[in-house]
Amino acid sequence: MPGTGAHDVAIIGAGFSGIAAATALLKQGVDDFVMFERSEEIGGTWWVNRYPGAEVDLESHIYSFSFEPYDWTRTHASWQELLGYLQLVARKWRLYDKALLSTKVATVTWSESTKTYSIDTADGVTYGPFKAVISAVGFLNTPLIPPFLRGETAFDGDICHTSTWRDELTLKGKTVGVLGTGSSAVQIVTEAERQGRAVKVFQIEPNWLLPKGARDFTPAERRWNRFRFVYYYRRYKLYLGYDLRQHRASHARVGGRVNKKRQADAEAFLARETATRPDLKKLLTPSFSVEARRTVISDTYYQALLSPKVELVPHAVADVTPTGVVDALGKKHDLDMIVLATGFDAANYLSTFRVVGEGGLDLREQWTGGAEALLGLMTPNFPNFFMIFGPNTSGIPLVTYYEAQAKFAAKLVKKLATGRARKITVRKAVHDAYNRRLQRRLAQTVWTEVPSYFHGTSGKIISQWGFSPTSYLAGTRLARWFGVKLE
């Protein structure tokens, strides 16, 4: 187990992006690092999101590391398979030897005199110094809980957010209330309809849905996938499809060709699935464009809503009682279990720990108007501090972005580890020009239509990437050459 003393690098987080950072460092010959993970196991999102029905929205071949192919059983992997994959990769690269599990980072503090960071954990232990810190915690990690459900409540049954699901919980034979209609909600509604006695879905506003096409691979497909050429052909084909779809943000640009097609596909899917229930179709039709909020991918949600066991309540929950909830119209609903599929506090990047940079500046104060960084990687006044899945890097395929970001950080960290530099900062002029250009592009998209987790408190779009994945990969290389200053 790593000690509390000096190390070259600290990685905060041990999920997909943390593993990407660790393996990138090892490829660069940097092996003196510590991984801090607040959970009791490696796995990140796929350790904490273990609710019934949880699975990835992206295809397994593309939602995995390019350097670690795997014998996937499904086109879209379940949380169990993804967790097993991540832990397999961690064991192969001996990352458990570098990991401090059940260790929550509280504060990261820069020292100008030593050009290093120290890390204080929630249990009061100080680690370091570190020549560099890589944040690999993403931004979907602080659950949003309605005010009336925080702390102790009057409800006698089980209450659980999807990201804090407990293994002992069960949906079987229960009347389940699901708050929310996003990606997590549609998955758990399907399972609640299958296992429970009754389901009530509380919908503030509907989302657009597109079919997922999820299924098990056939034995023949799995045999073919074991051939390296076939595996990478399928991976590249998926990548190319996403790259073309997002060229010039066509999937989200107002009037974009891809956006128009996805709008037509979503409308046709809704009409087809609710052909026998025009009343339900009306309730499920959003008032905004496809992609204005995160488009939900599901083969089963509409069918679950057609079940006689399921009731769609087109109102928010306003209060909780010992036996259930009260909706916004004052109607009481008796429930055995309340599942919160209410999402995350995505507007506050790096909300799980505090970062103090040059001159004692707090990163949260710098980002008061909305988080921003050069390609989501580095931000002014915080030297030697790198981010994976930072501001404006939410794009598909996610793991490709993680690998590019990890490579950017690892190549620069190598310079610190080998003594070729002591301090690496982002060039403010480049950072500012980049963000102005990015926001001009984002202003042309449907993401500006309605409030969503894409926006910061100021209304600026802080999560989305407005170009193709290939342009992002090229950008990280250019940023390493022209966007940073070494001292």
Side-chain angles (χ1 to χ4, degrees):
M1 180 178 291
T4 59
H7 294 278
D8 284 339
V9 194
I11 300 172
I12 305 174
F16 251 116
S17 53
I19 293 172
T23 52
L25 288 172
L26 291 171
K27 290 174 187 176
Q28 293 297 319
V30 179
D31 63 0
D32 183 19
F33 60 85
V34 181
M35 302 180 76
F36 293 85
E37 173 53 55
R38 64 178 179 175
S39 298
E40 58 268 37
E41 253 294 355
I42 284 176
T45 291
W46 301 109
W47 172 259
V48 297
N49 286 280
R50 50 205 304 131
Y51 57 87
E55 69 175 22
V56 68
D57 283 347
L58 297 180
E59 297 86 351
S60 305
H61 279 78
I62 200 72
Y63 191 74
S64 51
F65 295 117
S66 62
F67 54 90
E68 289 292 353
Y70 188 69
D71 180 20
W72 298 105
T73 64
R74 285 180 56 76
T75 57
H76 299 72
S78 67
W79 73 264
Q80 295 96 330
E81 190 167 23
L82 283 164
L83 180 61
Y85 170 73
L86 291 172
Q87 293 178 351
L88 177 70
V89 174
R91 286 193 297 271
K92 178 178 177 179
W93 289 80
R94 302 185 67 179
L95 301 186
Y96 279 94
D97 296 341
K98 308 283 190 181
L100 292 171
L101 303 176
S102 301
T103 305
K104 184 181 186 303
V105 170
T107 308
V108 177
T109 306
W110 170 255
S111 169
E112 183 62 34
S113 60
T114 63
K115 305 293 190 291
T116 60
Y117 282 100
S118 62
I119 288 181
D120 295 309
T121 59
D123 54 3
V125 179
T126 299
Y127 292 82
F130 299 97
K131 295 176 184 177
V133 173
I134 301 175
S135 168
V137 298
F139 68 108
L140 299 177
N141 45 42
T142 302
L144 274 178
I145 309 294
F148 57 87
L149 289 172
R150 296 171 189 166
E152 294 294 325
T153 72
F155 185 57
D156 291 332
D158 292 313
I159 300 178
C160 188
H161 192 277
T162 52
S163 67
T164 56
W165 191 268
R166 305 186 300 278
D167 289 342
E168 69 271 16
L169 293 177
T170 180
L171 300 168
K172 292 179 180 177
K174 293 183 177 179
T175 298
V176 182
V178 179
L179 279 62
T181 54
S183 295
S184 298
V186 301
Q187 293 175 346
I188 203 159
V189 166
T190 297
E191 284 300 305
E193 188 277 331
R194 187 174 65 85
Q195 299 182 37
R197 182 173 65 248
V199 186
K200 296 196 176 190
V201 183
F202 295 90
Q203 171 186 278
I204 297 177
E205 195 166 16
N207 291 303
W208 287 111
L209 264 71
L210 285 168
K212 191 172 188 175
R215 59 177 177 82
D216 292 341
F217 282 122
T218 66
E221 286 175 316
R222 290 183 66 180
R223 284 194 298 272
W224 277 106
N225 284 338
R226 293 181 189 121
F227 289 98
R228 200 171 184 85
F229 172 79
V230 174
Y231 187 97
Y232 282 104
Y233 167 76
R234 288 176 172 167
R235 180 184 173 89
Y236 178 72
K237 185 178 178 182
L238 290 167
Y239 175 85
L240 183 62
Y242 284 118
D243 198 52
L244 293 174
R245 192 177 92 189
Q246 295 170 90
H247 178 62
R248 298 182 64 240
S250 183
H251 67 302
R253 193 177 67 251
V254 175
R257 179 184 59 82
V258 176
N259 184 260
K260 288 180 178 179
K261 183 180 185 306
R262 286 170 71 80
Q263 181 77 50
D265 290 346
E267 291 173 357
F269 183 45
L270 174 59
R272 183 169 66 249
E273 294 290 295
T274 60
T276 61
R277 290 283 306 277
D279 59 318
L280 196 57
K281 178 186 175 184
K282 183 177 181 180
L283 293 176
L284 292 171
T285 302
S287 59
F288 49 83
S289 303
V290 164
E291 300 290 350
R293 288 185 178 151
R294 181 178 175 180
T295 301
V296 178
I297 310 297
S298 175
D299 299 318
T300 58
Y301 181 62
Y302 286 150
Q303 288 299 311
L305 292 179
L306 293 174
S307 168
K309 293 166 62 175
V310 179
E311 177 187 355
L312 179 66
V313 181
H315 311 294
V317 170
D319 204 356
V320 65
T321 70
T323 59
V325 298
V326 181
D327 68 27
L329 297 184
K331 182 180 178 180
K332 293 182 178 180
H333 302 265
D334 289 336
L335 304 170
D336 300 315
M337 174 187 284
I338 299 173
V339 178
L340 306 178
T342 45
F344 299 87
D345 184 11
N348 295 314
Y349 272 81
L350 305 191
S351 62
T352 58
F353 59 91
R354 181 171 175 247
V355 186
V356 181
E358 293 178 312
L361 179 64
D362 190 311
L363 183 56
R364 294 175 190 170
E365 294 177 4
Q366 177 163 306
W367 281 351
T368 299
E372 60 181 20
L374 177 61
L375 290 160
L377 296 164
M378 298 186 75
T379 193
N381 305 311
F382 295 84
N384 303 4
F385 183 80
F386 304 90
M387 291 169 282
I388 298 180
F389 206 18
N392 293 113
T393 62
S394 184
I396 298 173
L398 282 174
V399 180
T400 300
Y401 286 74
Y402 298 160
E403 289 188 31
Q405 293 155 3
K407 184 176 181 180
F408 171 93
K411 282 186 172 291
L412 291 177
V413 165
K414 184 178 182 179
K415 298 181 185 296
L416 298 170
T418 56
R420 284 181 285 170
R422 294 187 66 205
K423 182 178 179 180
I424 300 176
T425 53
V426 64
R427 296 185 184 276
K428 191 173 187 305
V430 176
H431 169 276
D432 293 349
Y434 157 80
N435 278 286
R436 286 194 298 270
R437 171 76 176 99
L438 176 64
Q439 290 301 321
R440 285 198 297 270
R441 164 55 61 87
L442 295 175
Q444 300 167 9
T445 67
V446 296
W447 294 325
T448 62
E449 279 189 19
V450 288
S452 72
Y453 76 77
F454 300 162
H455 302 80
T457 53
S458 66
K460 180 173 70 175
I461 298 171
I462 62 170
S463 67
Q464 303 306 99
W465 171 245
F467 304 87
S468 70
T470 294
S471 63
Y472 185 82
L473 301 185
T476 58
R477 179 169 293 188
L478 291 171
R480 197 170 71 244
W481 294 338
F482 306 112
V484 297
K485 180 173 66 173
L486 279 63
E487 299 177 26

